[in-house]
């Protein structure tokens, strides 16, 4: 695979040199008058920064600053790679990649990374404009000392997961798209009893999911909460007050109902162990009825299974209303990621580096980071970057093509949803349009940076509390325990385990950052 | 003055003698030391050097500050651990799972070895051995996959069997009461065959004339197994037992991570998985080190105890 | 009466035959020793007797009962192994009692028997020890004790002394002999050491290449070896052999040795023949006696043993050993140049088959 990418890349380079009307470096992109080369540790799971990326070469041409990778591919765990690097005490000029936020915000105040606040204000107009426009993003990336230590990857697009259901089954059984949780219950019951796949066996799995945490998220159908961010089991924020979903009364109501659904066979009996291949297996075998999963990849099954099952229609439907009448989609794309890049204390060209970081937030830099090189991967049509047909119609997914040239990798940059739109499946776009008609999304929790004291409280209690919550949660759903009987002792136990202390610590960290 | 001189003479003469002896010794035996070197270096680099890092169990460790510069905080991590009910539960689970593995898992390879020893047809013997060795070479991920599939409630072999016998399906992997059985059973299935090799080797070392003598004395095969084979491999069994006891707190952690569920934490959460969730996932290396150190100390005490008992009872010991 | 009888016993493994049909009868209370070089099939024969090896062909009977298909334990034999086969995890007493316990003999009876045997073998003080704490000789005695305690019909010994040092071996040899005299149990004993065979046996069976070469009392074998193999195997130093030709003059047979005529015993078909003549080192004279022929020699070396000395000499360029009494002096032996071969001390062998053509008659008065 790697070799293929290199081959493509070199072909493209050749092409570029010969034919393309190469963009001339405009002076405002230059970060240094002399060519400058900086070392970078950039680790993103399965790859590291590549000096030969076409996007890197183009950026170097435009900015006069090139990056040289020093990260090792010895591990696929970015956190481990980071730890190895920082433990060696030998920090390159720039440190970037995945799992960056917690680390830079911990070691930044200890002196490992350069505070960027003043640098941004003085030298990075594009970044500053973005932060001014979205103060919550800025607040969320601050360390507990109030400084910003990294420039984040800022994803674009609002929607991630959605409710999907077999429209063909609905049609076959003469059912309407469920509009509220009661109708959903009836639909799922019908899926279970009325043999929508028509094989005469009662083998349908009405609700399934690849990630059992998505089952828990169904408590939002009863106004409960499962997470406030794109991480599972996270805290959520409502009107400036932090809380955790798993202590609320609506959560209790939701779990009680889900336990009932589970017992009645409306939920995949193997939901906790079936794992990541369950969606593929249950759809391909005409067994699964409904799930809650990503727009793009789930919509893709309509194309993938078209030959095998001509009627197959698995489409998004609007979140069913809760008993109180609210329609909620709890999952949403994160507005800011914990990946990006930071300047280490050893960097001697701090100003040039922040200017370089800013380049990626300029119009030209952002296009480069999102679409690759003009004339090679995209053309400007009506003032908009449009992928070339060769890119869109390739056998390789567009994202993989982009990664191979160093675009869409998680450096500090702002994603442009326009790129994804161009290669998204029709059903996905329809679904997104459907979700756009309503106001389903909730206030996102973008995370907090805790100071030592708060972190001490959090570390001491939180994981234990979380594990206890999950343990009880599964026991309730599986019917091993009864939530109504347990609820009071559960609350007492959470208190005893220090839940109020954790919430207090979180709240104080939140208030410091966002108020 | 005189005293001092004589003191020096006395002190120096044996030392220089010793030095000459050492030089001669190395001149004569340097090849042996070269052969010893790789193991020695391995031990120093991978076992003794990391011991230096154990001190982070008593420190507020920061990766950036490094081991030396992180501040001491005494036993705080240990207090944190022992105030945590889940850690206490993890210790309990570790001991139970390990104890069960030892109790049920330790005899199986011995029984297997004894059974292999009784097989006369060499072809059948080889085939049987290969079949039971095989699972050892399968990676934990695949084993876990096999277990999950086999115990799945809808299409798992085990439940199909139960259904055929008229019982309802059981979602085994979410039942705390089943976890230990499944885990210990899987471990036995995977490792018993391979672990039997050492006992087979030991059996092969038994003097054949012992058996012949017993045959002439009129012993049956069963009696020979009990009265000759088993006692003769007893030293091996005891040594293996001591080693196992030393590892009693080390439960196959990858396997548990892949098989457990929050629903089964009550019986499945062991020290290593607890450390994994608390320490590594939450980047609390110092706490993880404290738990690991506790683990090591207990294991050390157990090995010493087991060795001493074995030495007293049967004159077999590791050292 | 517990005799042992082997008739045409054959042992073969797939295509290799290691014992080619053995006929042997061991009388009740007799001590028979199977002796031969390693690989001659003597141990295999013993193991077939014990039932540890299957009998490929022929018949083995103990006490007139065919035991070919009878399990070892039902043959009522006891075996002592070369490496003693003591159970390392059992004490001496338990080792001795092992066979009895297997046979479910009542406990008090076992104790009694063990005590008795321990007394016989002077093991009483060692009963609680483990084999690892015993000396070689003590272990050997325990192994014997284990055999004796069952009062079997037949004792089988498989090179029991070969792991002991020379001194201990001599001592144990005597003990075994005494024990046999005391207990009077039929015994078959395998060894590669002809001295052991000579000292222990009522009768010796010399084996080679899976066949019996000769059966006889020790003195029969010593004096009248049936062929050159037995002649050289039995006796230490072995019988001297000289290749030569014979001529018949006036009804007397002579051999030509270094140009001298040497008178031989009477042969059945004396004619011009290539033969080997054999003479035991002990039977060579250094002074002329009746019916002796002089043979010139050259002495290379005199080995002094005390009362005796070994003369290493050369006859016709081949080595020749003579054992002579010193009577306290050896100096004169170095200068010997002539030896005297008595007619009746000489055995004549066929050069091609190695079989004896004459029988020496010296044994009786030697």
């Amino acid at each position: 695979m790697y070799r293929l990418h290199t081959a493509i890349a070199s072909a493209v380079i050749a092409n570029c040199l010969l034919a393309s009307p190469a963009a001339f470096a405009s002076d405002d992109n230059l970060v240094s008058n002399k060519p400058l080369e900086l070392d970078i540790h950039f680790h993103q799971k399965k790859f590291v920064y590549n000096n030969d990326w076409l996007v890197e070469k183009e950026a170097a041409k435009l900015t006069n600053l090139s990056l040289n990778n020093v990260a090792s591919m010895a591990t696929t765990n970015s956190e481990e790679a980071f730890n190895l690097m920082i433990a060696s005490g030998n920090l390159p000029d720039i440190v970037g990649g995945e799992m960056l936020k917690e680390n830079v915000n911990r070691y930044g105040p200890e002196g490992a990374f350069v505070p960027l606040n003043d640098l941004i204000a003085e030298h990075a107009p594009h970044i500053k404009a973005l932060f001014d426009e979205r103060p919550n993003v800025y607040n969320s990336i601050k360390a507990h000392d109030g400084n910003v230590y990294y420039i984040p990857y800022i994803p674009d697009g609002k929607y991630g997961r959605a409710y999907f259901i077999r429209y063909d089954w609905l049609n076959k059984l003469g059912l309407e798209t469920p509009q509220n949780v009661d109708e959903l219950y009836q639909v799922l019951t019908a899926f279970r009893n009325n043999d929508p796949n028509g094989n005469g066996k009662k083998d349908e799995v009405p609700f399934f999911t690849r990630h059992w945490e998505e089952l828990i998220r169904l408590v939002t159908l009863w106004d409960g909460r499962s997470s406030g961010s794109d991480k599972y089991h996270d805290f959520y924020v409502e009107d400036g007050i932090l809380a955790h979903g798993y202590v609320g009364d609506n959560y209790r109501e939701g779990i009680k109902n889900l336990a009932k659904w589970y017992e009645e066979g409306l939920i995949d009996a193997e939901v906790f162990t079936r794992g990541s291949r369950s969606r593929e297996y249950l759809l391909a075998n005409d067994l699964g009825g409904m799930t809650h999963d990503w727009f793009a990849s789930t919509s893709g099954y309509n194309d993938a299974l078209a030959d095998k099952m001509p009627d197959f229609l698995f489409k998004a439907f609007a979140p069913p209303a809760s008993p109180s009448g609210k329609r909620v989609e709890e999952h949403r794309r994160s507005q800011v990621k914990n990946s990006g890049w930071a300047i280490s204390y050893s960097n001697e060209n701090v100003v040039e580096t922040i200017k370089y970081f800013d380049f990626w937030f300029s119009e030209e830099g952002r296009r480069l980071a999102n679409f690759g090189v003009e004339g090679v991967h995209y053309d400007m049509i009506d003032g908009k970057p449009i992928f070339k047909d060769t890119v869109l119609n390739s056998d390789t997914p567009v994202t993989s093509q982009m990664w191979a040239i160093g675009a869409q990798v998680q450096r500090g940059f702002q994603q442009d949803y326009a790129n994804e739109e161009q290669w998204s499946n029709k059903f996905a776009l329809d679904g997104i349009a459907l979700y756009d008609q309503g106001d389903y999304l909730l206030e996102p929790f973008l995370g907090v940076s805790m100071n030592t004291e708060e972190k001490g409280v959090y570390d001491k209690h939180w994981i234990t509390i979380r594990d206890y919550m999950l343990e009880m949660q599964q026991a309730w759903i599986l019917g091993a325990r009864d939530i109504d009987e347990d609820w009071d002792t559960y609350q007492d136990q959470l208190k005893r385990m220090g839940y109020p202390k954790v919430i207090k610590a979180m709240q104080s960290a939140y208030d410091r950052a966002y108020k | 003055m005189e005293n001092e001189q004589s003191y020096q003479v006395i002190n120096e003469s044996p030392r220089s003698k010793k030095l000459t002896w050492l030089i001669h010794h190395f001149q004569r035996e340097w090849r042996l030391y070269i052969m010893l070197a790789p193991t020695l270096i391995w031990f120093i680099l991978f076992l003794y050097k990391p011991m230096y890092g154990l001190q982070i169990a008593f420190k507020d460790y920061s990766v950036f500050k490094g081991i030396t510069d992180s501040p001491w905080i005494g036993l705080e991590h240990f207090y944190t651990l022992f105030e945590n009910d889940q850690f206490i539960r993890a210790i309990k689970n570790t001991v139970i799972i390990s104890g069960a593995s030892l109790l049920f898992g330790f005899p199986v390879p011995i029984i297997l070895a004894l059974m292999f020893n009784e097989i006369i047809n060499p072809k059948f013997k080889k085939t049987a051995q290969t079949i039971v060795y095989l699972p050892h070479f399968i990676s934990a991920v695949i084993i876990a996959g096999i277990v999950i599939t086999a115990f799945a409630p809808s299409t798992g072999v085990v439940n199909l069997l139960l259904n055929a016998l008229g019982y309802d399906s059981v979602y085994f992997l979410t039942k705390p009461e089943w976890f230990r059985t499944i885990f210990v059973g899987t471990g036995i299935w995977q490792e018993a065959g391979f672990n039997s090799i050492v006992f087979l080797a030991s059996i092969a070392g038994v003097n054949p004339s012992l058996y012949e003598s017993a045959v002439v004395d009129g012993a049956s095969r069963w009696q020979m197994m009990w009265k000759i084979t088993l006692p003769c491999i007893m030293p091996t069994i005891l040594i293996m037992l001591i080693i196992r006891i030393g590892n009693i707190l080390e439960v196959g952690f990858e396997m548990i991570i892949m098989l457990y569920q929050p629903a089964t934490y009550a019986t499945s959460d062991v020290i290593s998985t607890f450390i994994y969730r608390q320490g590594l996932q939450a980047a609390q290396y110092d706490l993880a080190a404290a738990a690991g150190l506790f683990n090591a100390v207990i294991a050390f005490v157990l090995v010493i105890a087991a060795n001493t008992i074995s030495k007293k009872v049967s004159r077999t010991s590791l050292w | 009466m517990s005799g042992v009888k082997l008739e045409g016993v054959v042992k073969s493994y797939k295509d290799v035959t290691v014992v080619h049909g053995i006929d042997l009868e061991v009388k009740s209370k007799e001590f028979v020793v199977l002796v031969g070089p390693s690989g001659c099939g003597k141990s295999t024969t013993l193991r077939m007797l014990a039932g540890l090896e299957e009998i490929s062909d022929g018949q083995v009977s103990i006490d007139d009962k065919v035991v070919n298909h009878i399990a070892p334990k039902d043959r009522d034999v006891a075996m002592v192994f070369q490496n003693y086969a003591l159970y390392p995890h059992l004490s001496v007493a338990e080792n001795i009692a092992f066979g009895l316990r297997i046979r479910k003999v009542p406990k008090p009876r076992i104790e009694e028997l063990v005590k008795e045997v321990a007394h016989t073998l002077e093991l009483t003080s060692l009963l609680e020890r483990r084999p690892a704490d015993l000396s070689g000789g003590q272990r050997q005695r325990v192994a014997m004790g284990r055999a004796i305690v069952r009062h079997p019909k037949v004792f089988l010994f498989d090179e029991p002394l070969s792991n002991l040092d020379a001194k201990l071996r001599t001592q144990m040899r005597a003990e075994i002999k005494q024990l046999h005299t005391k207990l009077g149990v039929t015994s078959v004993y395998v060894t590669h050491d002809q001295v052991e065979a000579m000292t222990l046996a009522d009768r010796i069976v010399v084996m080679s290449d899976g066949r019996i070469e000769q059966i006889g009392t020790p003195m029969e074998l010593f004096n009248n070896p049936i062929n050159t193999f037995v002649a050289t195997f039995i006796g230490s130093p072995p019988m001297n052999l000289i290749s030569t030709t014979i001529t018949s003059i006036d009804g007397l047979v002579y051999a030509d040795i270094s140009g001298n005529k040497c008178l031989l015993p009477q042969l059945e078909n004396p004619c011009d023949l290539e033969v080997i003549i054999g003479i035991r080192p002990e039977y060579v004279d250094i002074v002329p006696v009746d019916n002796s022929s002089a043979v010139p020699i050259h002495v290379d070396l005199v080995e002094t043993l005390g009362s005796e000395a070994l003369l290493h000499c050369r006859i016709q360029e081949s080595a020749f050993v003579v054992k002579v009494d010193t009577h306290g002096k050896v100096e004169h032996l170095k200068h010997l140049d002539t030896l005297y071969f008595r007619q009746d001390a000489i055995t004549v062998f066929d050069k091609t088959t190695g079989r004896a053509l004459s029988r020496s008659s010296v044994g009786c008065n030697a």
Side-chain angles (χ1 to χ4, degrees), chain B residues 200-273:
Chain B
L200 266 178
S202 178
I203 289 174
V206 177
N207 187 339
S209 61
L210 292 188
Y211 294 107
E212 293 177 341
S213 163
V215 165
V216 176
D217 275 345
S220 64
R221 288 196 82 115
W222 184 251
Q223 283 172 319
M224 283 193 270
M225 198 173 87
W226 277 105
K227 304 210 154 141
I228 301 175
T229 313
L230 216 49
C232 283
I233 63 170
M234 199 44 89
T236 313
I237 293 177
L238 284 171
I239 294 285
M240 295 307 285
L241 190 66
I242 295 169
I243 295 173
R244 275 293 289 270
I245 288 173
N247 292 338
I248 202 162
L249 294 188
E250 277 171 36
V251 174
F253 130 96
E254 304 99 327
M255 200 64 170
I256 291 199
I257 293 268
M258 284 181 285
L259 288 181
Y260 79 166
Q261 289 292 329
T264 55
Y265 280 173
T267 55
S268 64
D269 193 20
V270 295
I271 297 177
S272 51
T273 51

Side-chain angles (χ1 to χ4, degrees), chain C residues 1-10 21-30 32 34 45-46 48-50 55 57-68 75 77 153-154 156 186-188 203 205 212 215:
Chain C
M1 282 295 99
S2 8
V4 174
K5 204 167 170 189
L6 289 87
E7 291 164 281
V9 170
V10 172
I22 285 198
D23 295 295
L24 173 67
E25 192 172 348
V26 182
K27 291 192 281 290
S28 185
K29 298 188 179 178
E30 192 179 21
V32 166
L34 304 184
T45 308
L46 189 78
M48 285 194 281
L49 245 173
I55 298 155
D57 198 8
Q59 186 169 298
V60 174
S61 25
I62 296 175
D63 235 0
D64 295 330
K65 201 169 108 192
V66 177
V67 296
N68 281 32
R75 297 188 182 189
V77 297
K153 283 186 204 150
V154 181
L156 305 174
T186 315
S187 303
V188 181
R203 277 195 301 153
V205 179
I212 291 180
I215 304 177

Side-chain angles (χ1 to χ4, degrees), chain A residues 83 110 269-270 464 467 474 496, chain B residues 62 85 154 171 263 277 285:
Chain A
N83 281 334
E110 288 178 12
E270 297 175 33
T464 314
D467 288 348
Q474 278 197 350
R496 203 180 68 78
Chain B
S62 155
D85 294 346
S154 49
Y171 197 173
R277 285 201 317 277
Y285 303 108

